[in-house]
Amino acid sequence: MLVQVDNPLIEVHDLTVSYDKKPVLWNIDFSLAAGQIIGIIGPNGAGKSTLLKSIMSLIEPQSGYVKIYGKSIDDVRGKISYVPQRESVDWDFPASVLDVVLMGRYQKRGLFGRYNKEDKRIAQESLEKVGMQGFVKRQISQLSGGQQQRVFLARALAQQTELYLMDEPFAGVDASTEESILNLMKEMTQAGKTILVVHHDLQTAFKYFDWMVLLNTRLIASCPAQDALNESLIQETYGGKLPLLSALGNLIKNKDMPIREKK
Ligand SMILES: Nc1ncnc2c1ncn2[C@@H]1O[C@H](COP(=O)(O)OP(=O)(O)OP(=O)(O)O)[C@@H](O)[C@H]1O
Ligand SMILES: [Mg+2]
């Protein structure tokens, strides 16, 4: 199911990406509107991280292209922040929590610019938003996995951009942190920002996201979340791995119920 939008913020056109000649994204085509939380969903190896990296132009596609605000990424990079998947980051890198979050201010200050008071204030505020203000001086190597994840989110917040690409931001964070980050994301979209999130848990996906991109090398769907809550689409995305589906059965049956539960 492919719902194309008018006035897209992100356009992906016929994108094919290969590693060692083996395609991991195949002829992907979709468009996304601004001001919403968008989930990218699919099994391990589906190409979710590759898709984010392609949108950031960190990988050269074999064919196709991506546009953001109708422009090539290099013209709008300053409007985008990217949170990589936790596993892909070198956490032994010697830096304090505050150093990492201040890195989010590079783009504004330039590599050799000095941070000013405002940068420090924004960094502190960003750490407060993810509940990490008590760890300012701690080395990032000495944080738990969930705390590291939250510091990376704070770095993205400190960038104060329009578009956020987040690769599994909820991996390893506890339930109450997950809820507060989600609330923060909702506030951000209400302020017109757009958040693209790679996410693993299907059950919560239908509650969290306004729009869903279902991916398994090929694009299975790009549509409002409610329309993605469909047995055959989920089955196509996850192949034969069906224990997931039984848990989803009730959700699908009760599709008429409002999906956004009030907490
Ligand atoms: N640098 C690389 N070189 C070769 N193959 C790669 C590389 N990075 C990823 N791949 C392969 O490309 C495919 C897609 O990988 P990708 O990391 O995009 O998947 P994913 O959907 O993010 O998976 P996960 O849920 O495990 O994070 C996988 O089969 C993976 O093994
Ligand atoms: Mg990944």
Short mmCIF file of all heavy atoms in Angstrom, two decimals, residues 19-20 22 24 42-51 53 85 167-168 198 200 215, ligand 1:
data_model
loop_
_atom_site.label_atom_id
_atom_site.label_comp_id
_atom_site.label_asym_id
_atom_site.label_seq_id
_atom_site.Cartn_x
_atom_site.Cartn_y
_atom_site.Cartn_z
N TYR A 19 25.13 -3.75 -1.14
CA TYR A 19 26.46 -3.94 -0.56
C TYR A 19 27.07 -5.12 -1.31
O TYR A 19 26.43 -6.17 -1.43
CB TYR A 19 26.36 -4.32 0.92
CG TYR A 19 25.82 -3.22 1.82
CD1 TYR A 19 24.58 -3.37 2.45
CD2 TYR A 19 26.55 -2.06 2.07
CE1 TYR A 19 24.09 -2.39 3.30
CE2 TYR A 19 26.06 -1.08 2.91
CZ TYR A 19 24.83 -1.25 3.52
OH TYR A 19 24.35 -0.28 4.37
N ASP A 20 28.26 -4.97 -1.81
CA ASP A 20 28.93 -6.05 -2.54
C ASP A 20 28.00 -6.63 -3.63
O ASP A 20 27.84 -7.85 -3.72
CB ASP A 20 29.37 -7.19 -1.60
CG ASP A 20 30.14 -6.65 -0.42
OD1 ASP A 20 30.91 -5.69 -0.61
OD2 ASP A 20 29.93 -7.16 0.70
N LYS A 22 24.98 -7.03 -3.75
CA LYS A 22 23.74 -7.66 -3.33
C LYS A 22 22.76 -6.56 -2.89
O LYS A 22 23.05 -5.82 -1.95
CB LYS A 22 24.03 -8.60 -2.16
CG LYS A 22 22.84 -9.38 -1.69
CD LYS A 22 23.24 -10.38 -0.60
CE LYS A 22 22.04 -10.91 0.14
NZ LYS A 22 21.56 -10.02 1.20
N VAL A 24 20.14 -4.57 -0.95
CA VAL A 24 19.49 -4.67 0.36
C VAL A 24 18.28 -3.73 0.43
O VAL A 24 17.44 -3.84 1.32
CB VAL A 24 20.47 -4.41 1.52
CG1 VAL A 24 21.55 -5.48 1.54
CG2 VAL A 24 21.09 -3.03 1.44
N GLY A 42 10.35 -3.21 10.19
CA GLY A 42 10.70 -4.37 9.38
C GLY A 42 11.63 -5.27 10.17
O GLY A 42 12.20 -4.84 11.18
N PRO A 43 11.80 -6.51 9.75
CA PRO A 43 12.62 -7.46 10.52
C PRO A 43 14.11 -7.11 10.45
O PRO A 43 14.51 -6.23 9.68
CB PRO A 43 12.34 -8.80 9.85
CG PRO A 43 11.92 -8.46 8.46
CD PRO A 43 11.23 -7.13 8.55
N ASN A 44 14.94 -7.80 11.22
CA ASN A 44 16.39 -7.63 11.16
C ASN A 44 16.87 -7.84 9.73
O ASN A 44 16.44 -8.78 9.06
CB ASN A 44 17.11 -8.66 12.05
CG ASN A 44 16.92 -8.40 13.54
OD1 ASN A 44 16.72 -9.32 14.30
ND2 ASN A 44 16.99 -7.14 13.94
N GLY A 45 17.73 -6.95 9.29
CA GLY A 45 18.30 -7.09 7.94
C GLY A 45 17.39 -6.58 6.84
O GLY A 45 17.70 -6.71 5.66
N ALA A 46 16.25 -5.97 7.22
CA ALA A 46 15.29 -5.49 6.21
C ALA A 46 15.81 -4.30 5.41
O ALA A 46 15.27 -3.98 4.36
CB ALA A 46 13.98 -5.09 6.91
N GLY A 47 16.84 -3.63 5.95
CA GLY A 47 17.38 -2.46 5.27
C GLY A 47 16.97 -1.14 5.91
O GLY A 47 17.15 -0.08 5.32
N LYS A 48 16.46 -1.19 7.14
CA LYS A 48 15.98 0.03 7.81
C LYS A 48 17.12 1.03 8.05
O LYS A 48 16.99 2.21 7.72
CB LYS A 48 15.32 -0.34 9.15
CG LYS A 48 14.19 -1.35 9.02
CD LYS A 48 13.55 -1.69 10.36
CE LYS A 48 14.49 -2.34 11.37
NZ LYS A 48 14.98 -3.68 10.96
N SER A 49 18.22 0.53 8.62
CA SER A 49 19.36 1.44 8.88
C SER A 49 19.94 1.93 7.56
O SER A 49 20.32 3.10 7.44
CB SER A 49 20.45 0.71 9.68
OG SER A 49 19.96 0.35 10.94
N THR A 50 19.98 1.05 6.58
CA THR A 50 20.49 1.43 5.26
C THR A 50 19.62 2.54 4.66
O THR A 50 20.14 3.47 4.03
CB THR A 50 20.53 0.20 4.33
OG1 THR A 50 21.33 -0.81 4.95
CG2 THR A 50 21.10 0.54 2.97
N LEU A 51 18.32 2.46 4.88
CA LEU A 51 17.43 3.49 4.36
C LEU A 51 17.73 4.85 5.01
O LEU A 51 17.84 5.86 4.32
CB LEU A 51 15.96 3.09 4.59
CG LEU A 51 14.91 4.09 4.11
CD1 LEU A 51 15.01 4.35 2.61
CD2 LEU A 51 13.49 3.62 4.46
N LYS A 53 20.54 5.79 6.38
CA LYS A 53 21.86 6.24 5.91
C LYS A 53 21.76 6.76 4.48
O LYS A 53 22.47 7.71 4.12
CB LYS A 53 22.87 5.10 5.98
CG LYS A 53 23.28 4.76 7.40
CD LYS A 53 24.24 3.58 7.40
CE LYS A 53 24.35 2.96 8.78
NZ LYS A 53 24.94 1.61 8.73
N GLN A 85 22.23 3.95 14.97
CA GLN A 85 21.91 2.79 15.82
C GLN A 85 23.04 2.62 16.84
O GLN A 85 24.22 2.77 16.51
CB GLN A 85 21.78 1.54 14.93
CG GLN A 85 21.07 0.38 15.59
CD GLN A 85 20.59 -0.66 14.57
OE1 GLN A 85 20.65 -0.44 13.36
NE2 GLN A 85 20.13 -1.79 15.07
N ASP A 167 17.65 6.04 14.59
CA ASP A 167 17.71 4.60 14.35
C ASP A 167 17.57 3.85 15.67
O ASP A 167 18.52 3.78 16.46
CB ASP A 167 19.03 4.26 13.64
CG ASP A 167 18.96 2.92 12.92
OD1 ASP A 167 18.06 2.12 13.26
OD2 ASP A 167 19.80 2.68 12.04
N GLU A 168 16.42 3.32 15.92
CA GLU A 168 16.10 2.56 17.13
C GLU A 168 16.38 3.34 18.43
O GLU A 168 17.10 2.86 19.31
CB GLU A 168 16.86 1.23 17.14
CG GLU A 168 16.66 0.49 15.83
CD GLU A 168 16.35 -0.98 16.00
OE1 GLU A 168 16.03 -1.40 17.13
OE2 GLU A 168 16.40 -1.68 14.99
N VAL A 198 13.27 4.46 13.35
CA VAL A 198 13.31 3.01 13.13
C VAL A 198 12.92 2.35 14.44
O VAL A 198 13.43 2.71 15.50
CB VAL A 198 14.72 2.54 12.71
CG1 VAL A 198 14.78 1.02 12.66
CG2 VAL A 198 15.09 3.14 11.37
N HIS A 200 11.35 -1.39 16.52
CA HIS A 200 11.26 -2.84 16.42
C HIS A 200 9.94 -3.42 16.87
O HIS A 200 9.50 -4.45 16.38
CB HIS A 200 12.39 -3.47 17.24
CG HIS A 200 13.34 -4.19 16.37
ND1 HIS A 200 14.59 -3.72 16.07
CD2 HIS A 200 13.19 -5.32 15.66
CE1 HIS A 200 15.17 -4.53 15.24
NE2 HIS A 200 14.34 -5.52 14.97
N LEU A 215 8.93 -2.23 5.63
CA LEU A 215 10.07 -2.46 4.74
C LEU A 215 10.58 -3.88 4.90
O LEU A 215 10.69 -4.39 6.03
CB LEU A 215 11.17 -1.46 5.14
CG LEU A 215 12.38 -1.32 4.25
CD1 LEU A 215 11.99 -0.67 2.93
CD2 LEU A 215 13.44 -0.46 4.95
N1 LIG B 1 28.52 -2.29 5.52
C1 LIG B 1 27.87 -3.39 5.08
N2 LIG B 1 28.46 -4.25 4.23
C2 LIG B 1 27.81 -5.34 3.76
N3 LIG B 1 26.54 -5.67 4.07
C3 LIG B 1 25.90 -4.84 4.93
C4 LIG B 1 26.51 -3.66 5.48
N4 LIG B 1 25.63 -3.04 6.28
C5 LIG B 1 24.50 -3.79 6.25
N5 LIG B 1 24.65 -4.87 5.43
C6 LIG B 1 23.62 -5.88 5.12
O1 LIG B 1 22.53 -5.19 4.53
C7 LIG B 1 21.30 -5.72 5.00
C8 LIG B 1 20.47 -4.59 5.61
O2 LIG B 1 21.14 -4.10 6.77
P1 LIG B 1 20.53 -2.97 7.70
O3 LIG B 1 21.55 -2.69 8.75
O4 LIG B 1 20.07 -1.85 6.86
O5 LIG B 1 19.25 -3.73 8.30
P2 LIG B 1 18.26 -3.28 9.48
O6 LIG B 1 16.89 -3.42 8.94
O7 LIG B 1 18.68 -1.99 10.03
O8 LIG B 1 18.49 -4.46 10.54
P3 LIG B 1 18.45 -4.42 12.18
O9 LIG B 1 17.02 -4.54 12.56
O10 LIG B 1 19.22 -5.66 12.55
O11 LIG B 1 19.11 -3.16 12.64
C9 LIG B 1 21.65 -6.83 5.98
O12 LIG B 1 21.56 -8.04 5.30
C10 LIG B 1 23.08 -6.54 6.35
O13 LIG B 1 23.78 -7.71 6.64
#
